[in-house]
């Protein structure tokens, strides 16, 4: 089928794809596009095709290395790492003083890829409605239609989450016929996402993603977790506690026991996963591949064997601030330190030697795929690995923080996370204990450290010495978009 994509004055480049219905949504054929008029919506057995299209757009558009470069580089723990290539990226974080140049191409890339996802999701929801016109309300297939709508709504809400945490006020693009491009305030975008996730959760299956017929598909609990993320930003801790309680008590989620393997092939679609973008090379070192552009590769370090023979290497972007490593070591971190941080000169447990020195070459270990887990002779960094987006550990920490802020004890969910990391239990945990735990557990994941600093009012004291001010909290709108659409420059409503 061909996805319905209407034009917009955002001037987004939209790729029209044909998708194959299958039991595993990751099996996608992106060739031989069909005319939209050829779609027979009475064939309701093909109703999952628009959902596959939404997942593919999240993978193809949202998981872009340049987006990741800016999202991860805004706190004090990481930077984009390289002044010799994409040097302007440093200006969005602590090395460059939070100048936030809105002419940098990656700013426009975040804007366009996220709105590509939103436009695609709007179109695919319209396609699902066309299928639903052939269904009887209350039937099993109609309930599937409703659940499928929830999956697409969740993908769309994720794109809005990335937009509002990056740019602040943004356009809520409710359908592809919309003619107004006035931005909404941050609070209104938060409320919109939460309402959408409440609605989606009410329609979706109460399962883990790895229990779904289409393995890895998003569920009621995915929507609740994303809603909780936004409620945390909003400071609605009663909502956070309610949503995360439901996930913790009813979802059947578990922390993957081996933190080191959690981010590698053994941890793909494990019981900890609430949102995971799937990748596969179909077990072949060449040929068909459904991947995520350079999402892993751009963070990859050089690796050699013990004799100095070259094994593989990526683009060497994204590096930890040495101060973060000192902080982690002072905490007594061992499990998470080994997993999260690749230090130049050190040797991994698989025998891969990281090229570089311990001062300037401290890389993101969560993007590391050992050479012995790579497929055959193909040694592209992380090529066959999934992208972890929301994990149960984050849900537990949101639950712990909400409980404490609501005057309750958050020790149990907090210590579940600490126990896996071989850290001692805490009694009478404080909010700061939870925030430190989030800093360590979720380091190098989606810029969560930065949003934590901003939402808690700590950004000024932590980042101020590097040049951060409240005016730098959000990245300005891409200059090219404001020129094309002057309405974007008006005050949000």
């Amino acid at each position: 089928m061909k996805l319905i994509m209407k034009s917009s004055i955002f001037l987004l480049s939209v790729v029209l794809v044909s998708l194959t219905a299958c039991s595993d949504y990751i099996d996608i054929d992106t060739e031989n596009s069909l005319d939209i008029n050829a779609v027979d919506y009475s064939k309701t057995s093909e109703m999952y095709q628009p959902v596959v299209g939404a997942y593919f757009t999240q993978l193809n558009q949202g998981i872009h290395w340049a987006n990741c470069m800016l999202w991860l580089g805004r706190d004090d723990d990481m930077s984009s790492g390289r002044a010799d290539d994409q040097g302007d990226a440093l200006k969005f974080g602590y090395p460059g003083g939070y100048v936030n140049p809105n002419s940098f191409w990656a700013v426009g890339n975040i804007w366009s890829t996220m709105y590509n996802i939103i436009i695609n999701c709007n179109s695919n929801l319209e396609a699902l409605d066309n299928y639903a016109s052939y269904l009887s309300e209350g039937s099993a297939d109609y309930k599937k239609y409703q659940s499928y709508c929830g999956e697409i709504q969740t993908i769309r809400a994720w794109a809005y989450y990335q937009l509002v945490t990056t740019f602040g006020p943004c356009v809520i693009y409710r359908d592809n016929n919309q003619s107004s491009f006035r931005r909404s305030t941050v609070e209104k975008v938060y409320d919109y996402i939460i309402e959408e996730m409440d609605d989606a959760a009410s329609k979706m299956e109460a399962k883990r993603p790895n229990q779904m017929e289409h393995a890895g598909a998003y569920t009621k609990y995915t929507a609740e977790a994303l809603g909780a993320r936004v409620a945390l930003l909003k400071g609605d801790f009663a909502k956070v506690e309610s949503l995360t309680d439901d996930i913790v008590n009813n979802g059947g989620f578990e922390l993957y026991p081996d933190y080191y393997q959690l981010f590698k092939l053994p941890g793909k679609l494990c019981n900890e996963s609430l949102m995971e973008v799937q990748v596969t090379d179909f077990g072949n070192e060449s040929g068909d591949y459904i991947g995520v552009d350079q999402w892993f590769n751009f963070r990859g370090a050089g690796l050699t064997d013990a004799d100095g023979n070259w094994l593989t290497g990526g683009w060497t972007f994204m590096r930890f601030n040495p101060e973060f490593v000192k902080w982690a070591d002072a905490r007594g971190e061992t499990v998470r330190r080994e997993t999260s941080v690749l230090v130049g000169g050190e040797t991994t447990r698989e025998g891969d030697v990281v090229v570089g020195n311990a001062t300037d070459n401290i890389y993101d270990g969560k993007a590391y795929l050992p050479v012995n887990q790579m497929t055959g002779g193909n040694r592209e960094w992380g090529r066959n690995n999934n992208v972890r987006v929301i994990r149960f550990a984050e849900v537990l920490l949101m639950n712990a923080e909400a409980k404490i802020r609501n005057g309750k004890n958050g020790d149990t969910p907090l210590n579940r996370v600490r126990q896996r990391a071989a850290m001692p239990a805490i009694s009478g945990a404080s909010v700061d204990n939870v925030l430190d735990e989030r800093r360590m557990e979720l380091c190098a994941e989606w810029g969560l450290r930065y949003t934590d600093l901003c939402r808690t009012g700590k950004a000024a004291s932590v980042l101020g010495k590097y040049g951060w001010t409240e005016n730098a909290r959000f990245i300005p709108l891409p200059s090219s978009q404001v020129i094309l659409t002057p309405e974007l420059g008006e005050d949000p409503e």
Side-chain angles (χ1 to χ4, degrees):
M1 63 168 287
K2 186 174 180 182
L3 304 179
I4 308 166
M5 300 260 190
K6 298 183 175 67
S7 62
S8 84
I9 64 174
F10 284 109
L11 299 182
L12 308 180
S13 58
V14 178
V15 178
L16 301 178
V17 298
S18 129
L19 305 166
T20 303
C22 54
S23 60
D24 184 344
Y25 75 75
I26 202 171
D27 184 11
I28 300 170
D29 175 12
T30 60
E31 300 178 353
N32 303 318
S33 297
L34 302 176
D35 190 331
I36 186 64
N37 296 321
V39 177
D40 184 354
Y41 291 106
S42 68
K43 294 182 179 179
T44 56
S45 61
E46 299 177 356
M47 186 169 54
Y48 200 63
Q49 289 187 10
V51 191
V52 178
Y55 282 114
F56 180 71
T57 309
Q58 184 184 27
L59 175 149
N60 181 259
Q61 296 285 309
I63 311 301
H64 191 288
W65 70 270
N67 299 353
C68 184
M69 177 173 61
L70 294 191
W71 289 331
L72 293 187
R74 293 201 289 166
D75 60 42
D76 57 328
D77 288 342
M78 295 200 84
S79 77
S80 62
R82 294 182 58 176
D84 63 327
D85 189 0
Q86 310 300 326
D88 278 351
L90 294 169
K91 298 177 182 178
F92 293 85
Y94 75 87
Y98 294 94
V99 177
N100 292 342
N102 66 342
S103 59
F104 184 50
W105 73 272
V107 175
N109 195 74
I110 295 175
W111 181 270
S112 63
T113 53
M114 292 304 111
Y115 276 108
N116 269 342
I117 292 171
I118 290 164
I119 288 174
N120 178 280
C121 288
N122 288 347
S123 299
N124 289 324
L125 286 168
E126 182 181 333
L128 279 179
D129 289 344
N130 290 337
Y131 281 109
S133 67
Y134 293 92
L135 302 174
S136 299
E137 286 195 37
S139 67
D141 281 345
Y142 194 84
K143 290 178 180 178
K144 281 187 176 182
Y145 149 74
Q146 291 179 307
S147 185
Y148 294 167
C149 286
E151 291 179 52
I152 295 176
Q153 286 175 269
T154 302
I155 294 168
R156 184 174 63 182
W158 175 81
Y160 278 116
Y161 169 85
Q162 297 303 139
L163 283 166
V164 74
T165 54
T166 302
F167 299 108
C170 56
V171 181
I172 299 176
Y173 197 52
R174 297 180 186 275
D175 65 64
N176 294 348
N177 294 312
Q178 184 170 311
S179 59
S180 171
F181 299 98
R182 184 83 171 265
R183 291 176 299 151
S184 295
T185 64
V186 169
E187 284 296 314
K188 284 188 177 180
V189 179
Y190 287 166
D191 289 341
Y192 172 76
I193 296 173
I194 292 171
E195 289 169 7
E196 277 284 286
M197 291 303 86
D198 285 347
D199 179 63
S202 71
K203 300 181 293 192
M204 298 167 78
E205 293 193 61
K207 294 180 178 179
R208 295 190 309 270
N210 63 7
Q211 294 175 315
M212 294 291 284
E213 175 187 0
H214 304 279
Y218 304 155
T219 73
K220 167 189 177 182
Y221 300 116
T222 311
E224 288 184 335
L226 183 54
R229 260 194 190 183
V230 178
L232 197 66
L233 294 176
K234 189 175 169 62
D236 186 348
F237 300 111
K239 181 74 171 180
V240 176
E241 184 176 4
S242 174
L243 290 171
T244 55
D245 270 349
D246 189 48
I247 300 169
V248 172
N249 297 331
N250 303 308
F253 291 92
E254 301 172 324
L255 294 176
Y256 191 71
D258 188 342
Y259 192 80
Y260 185 79
Q261 295 295 347
L262 170 62
F263 301 94
K264 301 174 179 62
L265 298 193
K268 290 173 75 168
L269 283 187
C270 66
N271 290 351
E272 185 168 342
S273 175
L274 281 107
M275 179 181 276
E276 190 164 321
V277 175
Q278 296 185 65
V279 168
T280 185
D281 61 11
F282 301 98
N284 301 315
E285 60 186 77
S286 62
D288 291 341
Y289 172 58
I290 297 173
V292 285
D293 188 55
Q294 306 297 329
W295 182 266
F296 293 106
N297 193 44
F298 96 100
R299 288 178 277 171
L303 298 177
T304 70
D305 63 19
D307 297 322
N309 299 307
W310 183 261
L311 295 174
T312 186
W315 298 354
T316 66
F317 285 92
M318 302 320 304
R319 306 183 192 187
F320 278 107
N321 186 338
E323 294 303 312
F324 170 78
V325 182
K326 292 178 183 177
W327 175 81
D329 288 343
R331 279 170 57 89
E333 297 282 350
T334 55
V335 173
R336 292 184 291 203
R337 161 67 161 78
E338 178 193 12
T339 302
S340 304
V341 181
L342 285 182
V343 179
E346 291 186 357
T347 302
T348 70
R349 63 171 69 176
E350 293 84 4
D352 300 333
V353 181
V354 183
V355 175
N357 62 68
T359 302
D360 301 316
N361 307 105
I362 309 175
Y363 300 107
D364 176 7
K366 290 178 177 176
Y368 164 62
L369 189 65
V371 172
N372 66 11
Q373 290 189 20
M374 296 179 180
T375 303
N378 192 307
R379 292 184 177 177
E380 181 181 339
W381 194 276
R383 182 173 188 263
N384 193 32
N385 206 357
N386 288 353
V387 177
R388 282 69 170 172
V389 183
I390 303 179
R391 300 189 286 115
F392 184 53
E394 182 184 348
V395 171
L396 288 170
L397 293 176
M398 287 193 288
N399 186 254
E401 181 178 344
K403 281 181 162 53
I404 295 168
R405 290 189 184 273
N406 291 331
K408 302 175 185 177
N409 187 292
D411 292 356
T412 297
L414 172 65
N415 287 325
R416 286 182 67 177
V417 176
R418 290 178 62 83
Q419 182 179 23
R420 177 177 59 179
M423 294 292 285
I426 291 177
S427 178
S430 66
V431 169
D432 282 343
N433 291 143
V434 177
L435 293 175
D436 281 349
E437 202 66 27
R438 286 176 60 88
R439 182 183 182 186
M440 188 70 231
E441 175 71 25
L442 304 172
C443 67
E445 295 187 43
W446 299 99
L448 293 172
R449 160 75 171 167
Y450 182 77
T451 56
D452 280 351
L453 290 173
C454 291
R455 71 178 174 84
T456 58
K458 295 178 180 289
S461 59
V462 174
L463 305 178
K465 62 184 177 182
Y466 300 114
W468 187 93
T469 66
E470 184 61 36
N471 289 334
R473 176 173 182 174
F474 298 115
I475 296 173
L477 298 181
S479 56
S480 58
Q481 292 293 337
V482 177
I483 292 171
L484 290 169
T485 314
E487 192 176 359
L488 294 174
E490 297 178 8
D491 290 339
E493 56 183 5

